Amino acid sequence: MKDIKDIEIIVEKLIDSERVAVLTGAGVSAESGIKTFRDPDGLWAKFNPAELASAQGFLSNPELVWEWYNHRRSVLEEAKPNPGHYALAELEKLTNNFTLTTQNVDGLHQQAGSENVYELHGSIVKNHCFECCEPYLSEIDIRDKEIPKCESCGGRIRPSVVWFGEMLPEEAIKKSEIAALNSEIYIVAGTSGEVYPAAGLPSIASNSGALVVDINPNLTAIGKYADVHLAYPSAEILPVIVSEYKKAVGI
Ligand code: BJW
Ligand code: ZN
């Protein structure tokens, strides 16, 4: 592999680091069959984010938004974590003070065994009331076109994801910023770095001296902060990093 020198640098840094932080995006779930957003065959090539991923869009056509999320939930029912998810879950157990910030709403990191996960954009498997924000804990039938009603106020239920123009979960963004600030190595995988505030995290890590690693087949906005760019699918290269790490420490 032509990038073996880069992998050695990453492994050495992982061994030396007291704090390891990772930021993931949709590309990490691509090999699980989940579409990304901004690739040529991504969701935003076919669907309008203003209509489907904003409170305004939900107010204009809640049924359309609910149906779209239920369709994505049906895709997710068939999806399984891929070797990239499993490699990150293993890295958490091998390294010190590991944190994983994800923009993904699919829960696949947790399914793979990752524990210290900060979900910046919420979760597609959870729901809450659009009006009063009360969590909706009853099971939903994703084949039912009718939107469930809040048991407290009768308002319409929406998926617990973060839409454009909405604030991110306070604790998740705060902990993610602290993790970026304190990390000695910051691994970014599968994100275009287009959506803020998540896209600002690699620059926080870089400015505080972390080695920033970008794992992405394509060059993105993350490029200007990355010390190392590995142009591979994450499901391919993350397991290599973990196996080289284990070799280096003799496991
Ligand atoms: C692979 C691969 C493989 C492929 N292996 N890699 C102007 C300037 C700056 C900011 C703003 C602005 N105007 C508005 C804003 C704020 C806005 C924003 O950032 N907009 C930008 C688009 C300009 N942000 C917000 O509104 C956020 N809230 C906020 O800021 O609150 C404060 C505020 C409030 C009011 C006013 C102003 C400020 C909220 C953002 C919410 C984002 N929500 C979504 C939908 C979530 C729900 C759902 O799933 O439906 O989150 S949008 C979508 O983008 C989703 C993702 O999490 C997010 C990031 O995408 P990601 O993960 O990077 O995916 P892609 O597709 O972009 O990239 C995939 C990458 O993978 C590619 O690079 C591929 O090459 C790579 N890849 N295969 C490795 N196998
Ligand atoms: Zn309610």
Side-chain angles (χ1 to χ4, degrees), residues 72-80 142-143:
R72 288 177 55 202
R73 286 164 165 153
S74 73
V75 173
L76 188 56
E77 272 186 347
E78 306 299 319
K80 290 188 178 56
I142 62 170
R143 270 128 209 120

Side-chain angles (χ1 to χ4, degrees), residues 129-134 150-155:
C129 175
F130 184 79
E131 302 298 336
C132 75
C133 296
E134 184 81 2
C150 173
E151 284 148 12
S152 302
C153 79

